[in-house]
Amino acid sequence: MESRPVALVTGGAGGIGEACARRLAETHRVVVCDLDAGGTQRVAEAIDGVGITCDVTSEKDVRACIDRIDAEVGSLRAMVNCAGIIQERAFPPETFDQDHWDQVQSVNTRGTWLFCRFAGAKMAALGGGSIVTISSVAGHRSWPTHSYAASKAAVLSLTRGLAAEWGRSGVRVNSISPGFTLTPRLKELIKVRDWDTSTIENQTALGRWVEPEEIAEAAAFLVSDSSRGITGIDIPVDAGWLCGINWLSFGGVPEGR
Ligand code: NAP
């Protein structure tokens, strides 16, 4: 059995999840969980962790994953719930494919709920832990990718509810809302779409995109004892997108002095 505290990172095979798994491996024994079997093993091996292939939408898979961690790895004390689907294109309600809507909800909302449900219950029984969910700036604002935005608003709501549910059991639950983050998948999208990246830069206070490692730093803080007085909140890691976007109505945020 492992002496370091055990942390689980869902969606850990790539992007923000991989960055979180690598960062948390500095302090924890990390279990990487993802649908992508090859990526799961690659990241788990790189950080001397454990890889478990799992579909976050499957109650059976999620239960089995939490049970396996308990039996084979050790007491689960932290979880970062990164598995998610970015709805890549905006569709008007009139033409929105209902299966696509359901798939986004299933991974982002149901998947978050299932992992929080079983991991949180385990942590509460063990006497404490810290859960970090991943929402998005899309959960805070009007957004044309209707299923994605609704799923991320749901994650904010689940986070607040579960924080109150398990607070007296020593389990803290907080979320991070990433802004536009330069993951390998998003970089590919920028290339394929020939996306003008300065559009996003102009919207943020800091004038840039977010790096996956910056989300991982916030996650490391939220699972650490340094945040022991914090629960039920959301930390946007968005390079100031939420505070900068409305300034476009006034000509944009000012240039550096
Ligand atoms: P990513 O690179 O696509 O990583 C997401 C991971 O989740 C992938 O490895 C994916 O596996 C996995 N996954 C998808 N469906 C799954 C399922 N049913 N069961 C288990 N794993 C599953 O995306 P990311 O950009 O790092 O996003 C991570 C989280 O941050 C998501 O919740 C996303 O909504 C959120 N976020 C991202 C941004 C951004 O700009 N990148 C901004 C705001 C919020 P496959 O590769 O096999 O699909």
Side-chain angles (χ1 to χ4, degrees):
M1 280 285 179
E2 174 63 41
S3 58
R4 279 177 298 168
V6 177
L8 166 65
V9 181
T10 77
I16 292 171
E18 177 173 353
C20 288
R22 288 180 181 275
R23 177 63 181 82
L24 262 56
E26 293 173 21
T27 49
H28 290 71
R29 171 88 154 151
V30 174
V31 178
V32 179
C33 155
D34 202 290
L35 198 56
D36 169 2
T40 300
Q41 288 317 316
R42 174 183 63 80
V43 176
E45 275 169 28
I47 61 174
D48 192 23
V50 177
I52 300 179
T53 308
C54 166
D55 178 354
V56 300
T57 69
S58 157
E59 183 177 350
K60 187 165 147 273
D61 274 19
V62 176
R63 265 184 201 275
C65 178
I66 299 297
D67 286 349
R68 192 172 149 198
I69 292 169
D70 203 40
E72 296 175 19
V73 188
S75 300
L76 185 64
R77 291 297 187 183
M79 176 176 75
V80 184
N81 202 94
C82 288
I85 298 183
I86 296 171
Q87 187 196 317
E88 290 180 359
R89 297 184 57 185
F91 303 102
E94 290 85 348
T95 57
F96 208 116
D97 178 73
Q98 194 53 44
D99 288 342
H100 183 37
W101 165 278
D102 292 343
Q103 189 201 11
V104 172
Q105 293 297 327
S106 185
V107 177
N108 294 0
T109 310
R110 179 184 161 93
T112 299
W113 163 251
L114 282 175
F115 257 110
C116 285
R117 184 179 160 200
F118 291 109
K122 180 60 70 185
M123 289 178 198
L126 289 168
S130 176
I131 293 176
V132 181
T133 60
I134 302 291
S135 180
S136 165
V137 289
H140 294 259
R141 287 288 196 276
S142 170
W143 207 264
T145 53
H146 296 295
S147 188
Y148 183 72
S151 74
K152 292 302 181 179
V155 169
L156 294 174
S157 174
L158 287 177
T159 303
R160 290 189 291 261
L162 294 175
E165 185 73 43
W166 285 318
R168 304 285 173 97
S169 304
V171 181
R172 297 185 295 109
V173 190
N174 295 289
S175 60
I176 295 171
S177 285
F180 290 83
T181 307
L182 285 171
T183 58
R185 190 159 282 179
L186 223 65
K187 282 182 183 165
E188 189 57 34
L189 207 63
I190 290 167
K191 222 176 358 171
V192 170
R193 297 244 180 104
D194 199 16
W195 193 354
D196 179 3
T197 51
S198 68
T199 313
I200 305 301
E201 287 152 19
N202 291 337
Q203 295 168 353
T204 65
L206 298 182
R208 65 173 178 81
W209 292 55
V210 179
E211 297 293 335
E213 291 73 21
E214 293 170 324
I215 313 293
E217 286 300 330
F221 167 68
L222 286 174
V223 305
S224 78
D225 207 38
S226 301
S227 62
R228 61 191 172 277
I230 298 175
T231 195
I233 62 133
D234 179 68
I235 300 182
V237 181
D238 64 347
W241 186 90
L242 285 169
C243 74
I245 185 72
N246 290 349
W247 283 60
L248 290 177
S249 307
F250 298 85
V253 297
E255 290 303 318
R257 309 284 196 273

